[in-house]
Amino acid sequence: MLYAIVDIETTGSFASGNGITEIAIAIHDGEQVINFYETLVNPHQAIPYFIQSLTGITNEMVANAPSFEEVAGQIHELLQDKVFVAHNVNFDYSFVKHHLQEAGYKLEEKKLCTVRLSRKILPGKKSYSLGKLCRELGIGLDNHHRAGGDTMATANLFTMLVANDAAGVIPQMLKGRNREQYLPPHLPVEQLDNLPRGAGVYYFYNEVGKPIYVGKANNIFKRVKSHFSNNKSGKQKQDFLREIHRISYKECATELMAHILESTEIRRLWPRYNRSQRGYLPQFGLFVYEDRSGFKRFAIEKNKHYYKPLYTFNTLIEGHNWLRELIGEFDLCPRLCNLAKVADCGNGEVASNTKWDCEIHNNPTSYNKRADDAITWIGKHLPSFAFIDKGIDESEQSCILVKKGNFYGMGYIQNSLQLDDIELLQEKLEPYQDNDYIRNLILKHAAAFPEKCYTFG
Protein backbone atom coordinates (compact mmCIF):
# COMPACT_ATOMS: atom_id res chain seq x y z
CA MET A 1 0.00 0.00 0.00
CA LEU A 2 1.24 3.48 -0.88
CA TYR A 3 0.58 6.67 1.03
CA ALA A 4 0.55 10.25 -0.25
CA ILE A 5 1.65 12.54 2.58
CA VAL A 6 0.46 16.05 1.82
CA ASP A 7 0.87 19.55 3.18
CA ILE A 8 -0.41 22.78 1.69
CA GLU A 9 -0.15 26.48 2.37
CA THR A 10 -3.21 28.61 1.61
CA THR A 11 -4.57 32.14 1.57
CA GLY A 12 -7.17 31.37 4.25
CA SER A 13 -8.94 28.76 6.36
CA PHE A 14 -11.63 27.40 4.01
CA ALA A 15 -11.36 25.97 0.52
CA SER A 16 -14.35 27.49 -1.24
CA GLY A 17 -13.12 31.05 -0.82
CA ASN A 18 -9.35 30.67 -0.73
CA GLY A 19 -6.50 29.44 -2.88
CA ILE A 20 -3.50 27.15 -2.45
CA THR A 21 -0.13 28.92 -2.49
CA GLU A 22 2.11 25.87 -2.11
CA ILE A 23 1.72 22.10 -2.10
CA ALA A 24 4.11 19.25 -1.32
CA ILE A 25 3.44 15.52 -1.68
CA ALA A 26 5.69 12.76 -0.34
CA ILE A 27 4.92 9.25 -1.63
CA HIS A 28 5.58 6.79 1.21
CA ASP A 29 5.64 2.99 0.96
CA GLY A 30 5.09 2.39 4.68
CA GLU A 31 8.81 2.42 5.48
CA GLN A 32 10.26 5.43 3.71
CA VAL A 33 9.67 8.23 1.20
CA ILE A 34 10.12 6.99 -2.37
CA ASN A 35 9.06 10.10 -4.31
CA PHE A 36 8.64 13.80 -3.55
CA TYR A 37 6.84 16.64 -5.31
CA GLU A 38 6.70 20.32 -4.38
CA THR A 39 5.58 23.50 -6.09
CA LEU A 40 4.48 27.04 -5.40
CA VAL A 41 1.01 27.84 -6.76
CA ASN A 42 -0.40 31.14 -7.96
CA PRO A 43 -3.74 31.48 -6.12
CA HIS A 44 -4.80 34.45 -8.28
CA GLN A 45 -5.75 36.35 -5.15
CA ALA A 46 -3.81 38.40 -2.64
CA ILE A 47 -2.13 36.58 0.23
CA PRO A 48 -3.09 38.23 3.54
CA TYR A 49 -0.18 39.92 5.29
CA PHE A 50 -0.36 37.78 8.43
CA ILE A 51 -0.15 34.61 6.29
CA GLN A 52 2.82 36.04 4.42
CA SER A 53 4.45 36.65 7.81
CA LEU A 54 3.67 33.10 8.98
CA THR A 55 4.75 31.20 5.86
CA GLY A 56 7.21 33.56 4.23
CA ILE A 57 5.33 33.13 0.93
CA THR A 58 4.73 36.54 -0.64
CA ASN A 59 2.62 37.72 -3.55
CA GLU A 60 5.81 38.29 -5.52
CA MET A 61 6.96 34.69 -4.97
CA VAL A 62 3.81 33.19 -6.49
CA ALA A 63 3.33 35.75 -9.26
CA ASN A 64 5.07 33.56 -11.87
CA ALA A 65 4.13 30.20 -10.33
CA PRO A 66 1.69 27.89 -12.14
CA SER A 67 -2.00 28.07 -11.28
CA PHE A 68 -3.49 25.04 -9.54
CA GLU A 69 -5.34 24.15 -12.73
CA GLU A 70 -2.00 23.86 -14.55
CA VAL A 71 -0.61 21.33 -12.04
CA ALA A 72 -3.91 19.61 -11.16
CA GLY A 73 -3.32 16.67 -13.53
CA GLN A 74 0.08 15.89 -12.03
CA ILE A 75 -1.24 16.25 -8.47
CA HIS A 76 -4.21 13.99 -9.20
CA GLU A 77 -1.92 11.32 -10.67
CA LEU A 78 0.31 11.42 -7.57
CA LEU A 79 -2.68 11.05 -5.22
CA GLN A 80 -4.63 8.46 -7.17
CA ASP A 81 -4.92 5.00 -5.57
CA LYS A 82 -3.01 6.10 -2.46
CA VAL A 83 -4.03 6.82 1.10
CA PHE A 84 -4.16 10.59 1.64
CA VAL A 85 -2.19 11.39 4.81
CA ALA A 86 -1.84 14.77 6.51
CA HIS A 87 -1.54 16.38 9.92
CA ASN A 88 -5.19 17.44 10.45
CA VAL A 89 -6.12 15.65 7.26
CA ASN A 90 -9.61 17.06 6.73
CA PHE A 91 -8.22 20.57 6.24
CA ASP A 92 -5.72 19.60 3.53
CA TYR A 93 -8.09 17.11 1.94
CA SER A 94 -10.94 19.66 1.70
CA PHE A 95 -8.68 22.14 -0.12
CA VAL A 96 -7.12 19.65 -2.51
CA LYS A 97 -10.43 17.94 -3.28
CA HIS A 98 -12.18 21.26 -3.90
CA HIS A 99 -9.52 22.65 -6.21
CA LEU A 100 -9.13 19.37 -8.08
CA GLN A 101 -12.87 19.35 -8.61
CA GLU A 102 -12.71 22.91 -9.92
CA ALA A 103 -10.09 21.70 -12.41
CA GLY A 104 -12.24 18.74 -13.49
CA TYR A 105 -10.70 15.94 -11.41
CA LYS A 106 -12.32 13.73 -8.77
CA LEU A 107 -10.67 12.83 -5.46
CA GLU A 108 -12.21 10.00 -3.41
CA GLU A 109 -9.26 8.40 -1.58
CA LYS A 110 -9.07 7.03 1.95
CA LYS A 111 -7.59 9.37 4.56
CA LEU A 112 -5.36 9.13 7.59
CA CYS A 113 -4.81 11.92 10.09
CA THR A 114 -1.43 11.92 11.82
CA VAL A 115 -2.91 13.96 14.69
CA ARG A 116 -5.40 11.18 15.42
CA LEU A 117 -2.82 8.44 14.77
CA SER A 118 -0.34 10.10 17.15
CA ARG A 119 -2.93 10.36 19.93
CA LYS A 120 -3.58 6.60 19.68
CA ILE A 121 -0.12 5.20 18.94
CA LEU A 122 1.90 7.72 20.96
CA PRO A 123 -0.43 8.74 23.80
CA GLY A 124 0.40 11.14 26.63
CA LYS A 125 2.28 13.82 24.68
CA LYS A 126 2.05 17.43 25.83
CA SER A 127 0.83 18.65 22.46
CA TYR A 128 -0.06 17.10 19.11
CA SER A 129 0.59 20.17 16.98
CA LEU A 130 3.19 19.28 14.36
CA GLY A 131 5.91 21.59 15.65
CA LYS A 132 5.66 20.64 19.34
CA LEU A 133 5.20 16.95 18.62
CA CYS A 134 8.29 16.84 16.38
CA ARG A 135 10.36 18.59 19.05
CA GLU A 136 9.24 16.12 21.73
CA LEU A 137 9.94 13.12 19.48
CA GLY A 138 13.26 14.44 18.15
CA ILE A 139 12.02 14.67 14.56
CA GLY A 140 13.75 17.34 12.49
CA LEU A 141 11.48 20.09 11.22
CA ASP A 142 13.22 22.46 8.85
CA ASN A 143 11.36 25.31 7.17
CA HIS A 144 8.24 25.04 9.36
CA HIS A 145 4.99 26.44 7.84
CA ARG A 146 6.27 25.73 4.36
CA ALA A 147 4.72 22.82 2.47
CA GLY A 148 7.98 20.96 1.80
CA GLY A 149 9.32 21.20 5.36
CA ASP A 150 6.05 20.21 6.99
CA THR A 151 5.47 17.35 4.55
CA MET A 152 8.87 15.77 5.23
CA ALA A 153 8.40 16.18 8.99
CA THR A 154 4.97 14.53 8.70
CA ALA A 155 6.51 11.74 6.60
CA ASN A 156 9.15 11.08 9.27
CA LEU A 157 6.43 11.12 11.93
CA PHE A 158 4.41 8.66 9.85
CA THR A 159 7.43 6.34 9.59
CA MET A 160 7.66 6.37 13.38
CA LEU A 161 3.93 5.75 13.77
CA VAL A 162 4.00 2.73 11.42
CA ALA A 163 6.97 1.28 13.29
CA ASN A 164 5.23 1.68 16.67
CA ASP A 165 1.78 0.51 15.60
CA ALA A 166 1.82 -2.77 17.52
CA ALA A 167 -1.95 -2.62 18.09
CA GLY A 168 -2.80 -2.29 14.40
CA VAL A 169 -4.33 1.17 14.66
CA ILE A 170 -3.54 2.12 11.06
CA PRO A 171 -5.18 -0.95 9.43
CA GLN A 172 -8.19 -0.47 11.71
CA MET A 173 -8.54 3.17 10.66
CA LEU A 174 -8.40 2.17 7.00
CA LYS A 175 -11.03 -0.53 7.35
CA GLY A 176 -14.25 0.41 5.50
CA ARG A 177 -15.53 3.90 6.14
CA ASN A 178 -13.90 4.24 9.53
CA ARG A 179 -15.09 7.12 11.69
CA GLU A 180 -11.49 8.09 12.39
CA GLN A 181 -11.26 9.29 8.78
CA TYR A 182 -13.85 12.01 9.10
CA LEU A 183 -14.02 12.99 12.79
CA PRO A 184 -12.50 16.33 13.85
CA PRO A 185 -8.82 15.78 14.65
CA HIS A 186 -9.13 16.58 18.38
CA LEU A 187 -12.28 14.56 19.10
CA PRO A 188 -11.73 11.07 20.57
CA VAL A 189 -13.72 8.48 18.66
CA GLU A 190 -14.76 6.92 21.98
CA GLN A 191 -16.89 9.99 22.71
CA LEU A 192 -18.87 9.36 19.52
CA ASP A 193 -19.20 5.64 20.23
CA ASN A 194 -20.55 6.31 23.73
CA LEU A 195 -23.39 8.55 22.59
CA PRO A 196 -26.90 7.18 23.21
CA ARG A 197 -29.21 6.15 20.39
CA GLY A 198 -32.22 7.90 21.93
CA ALA A 199 -33.58 11.46 22.03
CA GLY A 200 -31.80 14.31 23.75
CA VAL A 201 -29.54 17.32 23.46
CA TYR A 202 -25.83 17.27 22.61
CA TYR A 203 -23.10 19.85 23.20
CA PHE A 204 -19.86 20.50 21.29
CA TYR A 205 -17.02 22.17 23.26
CA ASN A 206 -13.84 23.91 22.17
CA GLU A 207 -10.33 23.45 23.56
CA VAL A 208 -11.01 25.50 26.74
CA GLY A 209 -14.32 23.78 27.45
CA LYS A 210 -16.67 26.48 26.16
CA PRO A 211 -19.83 25.23 24.41
CA ILE A 212 -19.74 26.22 20.74
CA TYR A 213 -22.85 24.37 19.52
CA VAL A 214 -25.99 22.85 21.02
CA GLY A 215 -28.26 20.53 19.04
CA LYS A 216 -31.26 18.27 19.55
CA ALA A 217 -31.91 14.84 18.11
CA ASN A 218 -34.31 11.94 18.11
CA ASN A 219 -31.19 9.77 17.89
CA ILE A 220 -28.18 11.57 19.39
CA PHE A 221 -25.58 9.18 17.93
CA LYS A 222 -26.88 9.45 14.36
CA ARG A 223 -27.33 13.22 14.51
CA VAL A 224 -23.84 13.90 15.87
CA LYS A 225 -22.33 11.53 13.32
CA SER A 226 -24.10 13.42 10.53
CA HIS A 227 -22.19 16.60 11.44
CA PHE A 228 -18.97 14.89 10.37
CA SER A 229 -20.20 12.77 7.47
CA ASN A 230 -19.32 15.35 4.82
CA ASN A 231 -16.33 17.60 4.37
CA LYS A 232 -17.80 20.79 2.97
CA SER A 233 -15.29 23.37 1.91
CA GLY A 234 -17.00 26.45 3.40
CA LYS A 235 -15.48 28.57 6.15
CA GLN A 236 -18.14 27.87 8.77
CA LYS A 237 -17.87 24.09 8.42
CA GLN A 238 -14.08 24.04 8.49
CA ASP A 239 -13.80 26.42 11.46
CA PHE A 240 -16.50 24.45 13.26
CA LEU A 241 -14.72 21.10 12.86
CA ARG A 242 -11.35 22.50 13.95
CA GLU A 243 -12.79 23.81 17.20
CA ILE A 244 -14.52 20.63 18.41
CA HIS A 245 -12.59 18.92 21.22
CA ARG A 246 -15.31 17.29 23.31
CA ILE A 247 -18.97 16.19 23.25
CA SER A 248 -21.47 15.83 26.08
CA TYR A 249 -25.19 15.11 26.07
CA LYS A 250 -28.39 15.07 28.10
CA GLU A 251 -30.91 12.35 27.40
CA CYS A 252 -34.61 13.19 27.06
CA ALA A 253 -37.59 10.84 26.99
CA THR A 254 -39.17 12.48 23.94
CA GLU A 255 -38.19 14.58 20.96
CA LEU A 256 -40.45 17.40 22.23
CA MET A 257 -38.52 17.56 25.51
CA ALA A 258 -35.26 17.61 23.53
CA HIS A 259 -36.62 20.46 21.42
CA ILE A 260 -37.53 22.45 24.53
CA LEU A 261 -34.20 21.77 26.22
CA GLU A 262 -32.25 22.74 23.09
CA SER A 263 -34.14 26.02 22.83
CA THR A 264 -33.50 26.78 26.50
CA GLU A 265 -29.81 25.87 26.36
CA ILE A 266 -29.13 27.95 23.26
CA ARG A 267 -30.41 31.05 25.05
CA ARG A 268 -28.57 30.15 28.25
CA LEU A 269 -25.18 29.43 26.65
CA TRP A 270 -25.27 31.50 23.40
CA PRO A 271 -23.01 29.07 21.45
CA ARG A 272 -21.26 30.82 18.58
CA TYR A 273 -22.29 28.30 15.90
CA ASN A 274 -26.01 28.31 16.73
CA ARG A 275 -27.74 30.77 14.42
CA SER A 276 -31.44 29.98 14.92
CA GLN A 277 -33.47 30.86 18.03
CA ARG A 278 -30.80 33.13 19.50
CA GLY A 279 -33.07 36.16 19.40
CA TYR A 280 -36.26 34.22 20.05
CA LEU A 281 -37.23 35.64 23.46
CA PRO A 282 -40.54 37.25 24.41
CA GLN A 283 -39.74 40.95 24.31
CA PHE A 284 -43.02 42.38 25.59
CA GLY A 285 -45.56 41.60 28.27
CA LEU A 286 -49.09 42.59 29.32
CA PHE A 287 -48.77 44.27 32.71
CA VAL A 288 -51.42 45.54 35.14
CA TYR A 289 -50.81 48.21 37.77
CA GLU A 290 -52.76 50.72 39.86
CA ASP A 291 -52.21 54.43 39.21
CA ARG A 292 -52.27 57.27 41.77
CA SER A 293 -56.01 57.80 41.22
CA GLY A 294 -56.73 54.17 42.11
CA PHE A 295 -57.49 52.94 38.58
CA LYS A 296 -56.20 49.55 37.46
CA ARG A 297 -54.41 50.11 34.19
CA PHE A 298 -53.14 47.76 31.51
CA ALA A 299 -49.99 48.33 29.46
CA ILE A 300 -47.88 46.51 26.91
CA GLU A 301 -44.27 47.10 27.96
CA LYS A 302 -40.88 45.54 27.48
CA ASN A 303 -40.42 42.58 29.76
CA LYS A 304 -39.01 43.28 33.19
CA HIS A 305 -37.08 40.73 35.20
CA TYR A 306 -38.57 41.94 38.47
CA TYR A 307 -42.26 42.09 37.47
CA LYS A 308 -44.22 39.15 36.09
CA PRO A 309 -46.53 39.91 33.14
CA LEU A 310 -49.98 38.42 32.69
CA TYR A 311 -48.87 37.22 29.26
CA THR A 312 -45.92 37.69 26.90
CA PHE A 313 -45.52 38.59 23.22
CA ASN A 314 -42.72 38.67 20.70
CA THR A 315 -43.78 41.98 19.15
CA LEU A 316 -45.39 45.20 20.34
CA ILE A 317 -48.04 44.95 17.60
CA GLU A 318 -49.04 41.47 18.78
CA GLY A 319 -49.46 42.79 22.32
CA HIS A 320 -51.48 45.82 21.25
CA ASN A 321 -53.80 43.67 19.15
CA TRP A 322 -54.39 41.38 22.11
CA LEU A 323 -55.09 44.37 24.38
CA ARG A 324 -57.56 45.87 21.91
CA GLU A 325 -59.55 42.63 22.07
CA LEU A 326 -59.76 43.01 25.84
CA ILE A 327 -60.90 46.63 25.46
CA GLY A 328 -63.70 45.58 23.13
CA GLU A 329 -64.77 42.61 25.25
CA PHE A 330 -64.85 44.37 28.63
CA ASP A 331 -65.46 47.99 27.62
CA LEU A 332 -62.15 49.14 28.99
CA CYS A 333 -60.86 52.66 28.48
CA PRO A 334 -58.15 52.92 25.78
CA ARG A 335 -56.50 55.72 27.76
CA LEU A 336 -56.34 53.55 30.88
CA CYS A 337 -54.82 50.84 28.69
CA ASN A 338 -52.17 53.28 27.43
CA LEU A 339 -53.45 53.08 23.86
CA ALA A 340 -54.84 56.64 23.69
CA LYS A 341 -53.83 60.03 25.05
CA VAL A 342 -57.40 61.02 25.85
CA ALA A 343 -60.45 58.97 26.89
CA ASP A 344 -63.46 58.68 24.58
CA CYS A 345 -66.37 58.43 27.05
CA GLY A 346 -69.10 57.97 24.41
CA ASN A 347 -71.71 60.42 23.06
CA GLY A 348 -68.95 62.59 21.73
CA GLU A 349 -67.65 63.39 25.21
CA VAL A 350 -63.89 63.30 25.66
CA ALA A 351 -62.12 63.22 29.01
CA SER A 352 -58.95 65.26 29.29
CA ASN A 353 -55.96 64.25 31.39
CA THR A 354 -57.34 66.10 34.41
CA LYS A 355 -61.13 66.01 34.11
CA TRP A 356 -63.43 63.04 33.64
CA ASP A 357 -66.90 63.61 32.10
CA CYS A 358 -68.50 60.21 32.74
CA GLU A 359 -69.45 58.06 35.70
CA ILE A 360 -66.93 55.31 35.01
CA HIS A 361 -63.99 57.70 35.00
CA ASN A 362 -65.14 59.24 38.27
CA ASN A 363 -65.52 55.84 39.96
CA PRO A 364 -62.33 53.72 40.21
CA THR A 365 -64.20 50.93 42.02
CA SER A 366 -66.66 50.52 39.15
CA TYR A 367 -63.97 50.67 36.50
CA ASN A 368 -61.68 48.27 38.38
CA LYS A 369 -64.50 45.71 38.37
CA ARG A 370 -64.20 45.65 34.57
CA ALA A 371 -60.42 45.34 34.82
CA ASP A 372 -60.74 42.47 37.31
CA ASP A 373 -63.23 40.73 35.02
CA ALA A 374 -60.67 41.00 32.20
CA ILE A 375 -57.91 39.58 34.43
CA THR A 376 -60.18 36.71 35.49
CA TRP A 377 -61.04 36.02 31.87
CA ILE A 378 -57.34 35.89 30.98
CA GLY A 379 -56.73 33.39 33.78
CA LYS A 380 -59.63 31.17 32.70
CA HIS A 381 -58.91 31.26 29.00
CA LEU A 382 -55.15 30.73 29.27
CA PRO A 383 -54.97 26.96 29.68
CA SER A 384 -53.33 25.07 32.52
CA PHE A 385 -52.48 21.50 31.56
CA ALA A 386 -49.86 18.78 31.86
CA PHE A 387 -48.62 17.07 28.70
CA ILE A 388 -47.88 13.50 29.76
CA ASP A 389 -45.76 11.13 27.68
CA LYS A 390 -43.34 8.24 28.08
CA GLY A 391 -40.42 8.45 30.49
CA ILE A 392 -36.82 7.37 30.07
CA ASP A 393 -37.66 4.13 31.88
CA GLU A 394 -40.93 2.29 32.44
CA SER A 395 -41.37 3.41 36.06
CA GLU A 396 -41.85 7.06 35.16
CA GLN A 397 -43.61 9.47 32.83
CA SER A 398 -42.38 12.66 31.27
CA CYS A 399 -44.38 15.77 32.14
CA ILE A 400 -44.44 19.23 30.54
CA LEU A 401 -46.50 21.76 32.51
CA VAL A 402 -48.29 24.79 31.08
CA LYS A 403 -49.80 27.06 33.74
CA LYS A 404 -52.22 29.81 32.74
CA GLY A 405 -50.95 29.75 29.18
CA ASN A 406 -47.28 29.95 30.11
CA PHE A 407 -44.72 27.16 29.98
CA TYR A 408 -43.76 26.41 33.59
CA GLY A 409 -41.28 23.56 33.33
CA MET A 410 -40.76 19.88 32.68
CA GLY A 411 -39.31 16.72 34.17
CA TYR A 412 -40.16 13.17 35.15
CA ILE A 413 -42.77 11.88 37.59
CA GLN A 414 -43.59 8.45 38.93
CA ASN A 415 -46.44 6.61 37.22
CA SER A 416 -48.31 6.50 40.53
CA LEU A 417 -48.37 10.29 41.06
CA GLN A 418 -51.86 11.82 41.02
CA LEU A 419 -52.15 14.69 38.56
CA ASP A 420 -55.01 16.61 40.19
CA ASP A 421 -52.75 18.79 42.39
CA ILE A 422 -50.96 21.33 40.21
CA GLU A 423 -48.98 22.76 43.13
CA LEU A 424 -47.60 19.32 44.01
CA LEU A 425 -46.77 18.72 40.36
CA GLN A 426 -44.80 21.96 40.20
CA GLU A 427 -42.58 20.73 43.05
CA LYS A 428 -41.63 17.66 41.00
CA LEU A 429 -40.65 19.57 37.86
CA GLU A 430 -37.70 21.74 36.92
CA PRO A 431 -38.81 25.33 36.14
CA TYR A 432 -37.79 26.79 32.78
CA GLN A 433 -38.02 30.26 31.27
CA ASP A 434 -41.17 30.69 29.21
CA ASN A 435 -41.09 32.04 25.67
CA ASP A 436 -43.37 32.05 22.66
CA TYR A 437 -41.24 29.58 20.70
CA ILE A 438 -41.47 26.86 23.36
CA ARG A 439 -45.08 27.70 24.17
CA ASN A 440 -46.11 27.27 20.54
CA LEU A 441 -44.26 23.95 20.31
CA ILE A 442 -46.17 22.61 23.30
CA LEU A 443 -49.55 23.92 22.14
CA LYS A 444 -48.97 22.36 18.71
CA HIS A 445 -48.25 18.97 20.28
CA ALA A 446 -51.19 19.32 22.67
CA ALA A 447 -53.51 19.94 19.72
CA ALA A 448 -52.11 16.95 17.85
CA PHE A 449 -52.25 14.60 20.86
CA PRO A 450 -55.13 15.73 23.12
CA GLU A 451 -55.21 12.30 24.77
CA LYS A 452 -51.80 13.11 26.35
CA CYS A 453 -53.10 16.28 28.03
CA TYR A 454 -54.39 16.47 31.60
CA THR A 455 -56.28 19.75 31.99
CA PHE A 456 -56.57 21.44 35.39
CA GLY A 457 -59.93 22.98 36.27
Side-chain angles (χ1 to χ4, degrees), residues 262-431:
E262 177 205 39
S263 178
T264 301
E265 292 291 72
I266 287 172
R267 281 184 288 278
R268 181 177 73 88
L269 299 169
W270 302 116
R272 64 175 296 192
Y273 289 103
N274 284 101
R275 296 291 184 262
S276 63
Q277 300 187 35
R278 292 186 60 162
Y280 214 124
L281 281 173
Q283 299 294 319
F284 300 92
L286 172 62
F287 296 91
V288 60
Y289 63 96
E290 191 172 297
D291 67 15
R292 288 180 296 176
S293 300
F295 287 94
K296 287 188 176 179
R297 305 183 65 155
F298 292 97
I300 304 296
E301 299 284 352
K302 282 193 172 181
N303 272 334
K304 303 171 175 61
H305 293 294
Y306 51 85
Y307 197 52
K308 185 171 177 60
L310 295 173
Y311 203 56
T312 58
F313 312 94
N314 277 334
T315 67
L316 189 62
I317 292 174
E318 183 185 357
H320 283 166
N321 289 339
W322 215 77
L323 185 51
R324 287 189 178 95
E325 290 185 21
L326 288 181
I327 290 170
E329 184 71 25
F330 296 96
D331 198 21
L332 301 176
C333 174
R335 183 180 182 278
L336 292 178
C337 293
N338 292 283
L339 290 180
K341 293 182 178 180
V342 295
D344 184 353
C345 300
N347 299 321
E349 297 179 4
V350 175
S352 68
N353 290 350
T354 59
K355 179 183 177 182
W356 301 107
D357 298 319
C358 70
E359 181 182 352
I360 283 293
H361 288 111
N362 283 305
N363 189 339
T365 302
S366 178
Y367 182 81
N368 288 349
K369 174 65 168 60
R370 299 183 184 186
D372 287 338
D373 288 345
I375 294 169
T376 301
W377 182 90
I378 292 171
K380 287 182 177 179
H381 286 76
L382 294 179
S384 293
F385 65 91
F387 189 84
I388 306 297
D389 209 332
K390 65 179 181 180
I392 292 179
D393 61 59
E394 294 183 357
S395 67
E396 65 185 13
Q397 304 174 93
S398 61
C399 177
I400 299 168
L401 180 61
V402 172
K403 186 177 181 181
K404 294 184 178 180
N406 294 303
F407 170 55
Y408 172 81
M410 66 182 185
Y412 300 94
I413 58 175
Q414 293 301 306
N415 293 331
S416 58
L417 183 70
Q418 295 296 315
L419 297 175
D420 54 356
D421 188 342
I422 192 171
E423 304 301 329
L424 176 61
L425 192 57
Q426 286 179 225
E427 295 176 6
K428 304 290 185 182
L429 304 178
E430 182 179 352

Side-chain angles (χ1 to χ4, degrees), residues 6-8 84 86-97:
V6 182
D7 188 81
I8 58 174
F84 190 108
H87 207 70
N88 187 3
V89 69
N90 286 327
F91 174 81
D92 300 81
Y93 191 86
S94 69
F95 263 89
V96 176
K97 180 175 181 175

Side-chain angles (χ1 to χ4, degrees), residues 21 67 97 153 170 188 217 230 284 398:
T21 59
S67 66
K97 180 175 181 175
I170 294 173
N230 61 66
F284 300 92
S398 61

Side-chain angles (χ1 to χ4, degrees), residues 225-242:
K225 184 180 174 183
S226 73
H227 281 283
F228 315 132
S229 61
N230 61 66
N231 197 32
K232 290 182 179 178
S233 56
K235 174 178 171 56
Q236 182 176 340
K237 179 74 176 211
Q238 292 302 314
D239 290 349
F240 177 57
L241 293 176
R242 270 195 297 274

Side-chain angles (χ1 to χ4, degrees), residues 38-158:
E38 181 182 21
T39 183
L40 287 168
V41 179
N42 187 339
H44 296 290
Q45 59 180 265
I47 304 172
Y49 180 73
F50 77 92
I51 292 180
Q52 293 186 47
S53 301
L54 176 69
T55 65
I57 300 174
T58 65
N59 292 313
E60 291 73 23
M61 287 172 61
V62 298
N64 296 317
S67 66
F68 189 88
E69 189 172 1
E70 291 177 80
V71 295
Q74 189 174 0
I75 290 171
H76 182 259
E77 186 175 346
L78 285 167
L79 299 177
Q80 197 169 25
D81 300 323
K82 300 177 184 69
V83 178
F84 190 108
V85 182
H87 207 70
N88 187 3
V89 69
N90 286 327
F91 174 81
D92 300 81
Y93 191 86
S94 69
F95 263 89
V96 176
K97 180 175 181 175
H98 175 79
H99 287 284
L100 281 174
Q101 187 173 326
E102 292 283 294
Y105 295 91
K106 187 176 182 180
L107 181 66
E108 292 293 345
E109 307 301 333
K110 290 188 175 183
K111 298 177 288 181
L112 283 175
C113 178
T114 50
V115 176
R116 301 192 68 81
L117 286 175
S118 298
R119 288 182 184 276
K120 285 184 171 290
I121 299 173
L122 305 171
K125 303 305 177 186
K126 294 179 181 178
S127 171
Y128 289 90
S129 69
L130 183 61
K132 292 179 180 179
L133 187 60
C134 285
R135 278 197 296 274
E136 188 170 352
L137 296 174
I139 295 172
L141 177 52
D142 300 323
N143 216 7
H144 192 22
H145 297 303
R146 289 294 300 270
D150 286 353
T151 294
M152 287 308 301
T154 304
N156 292 330
L157 171 62
F158 186 69

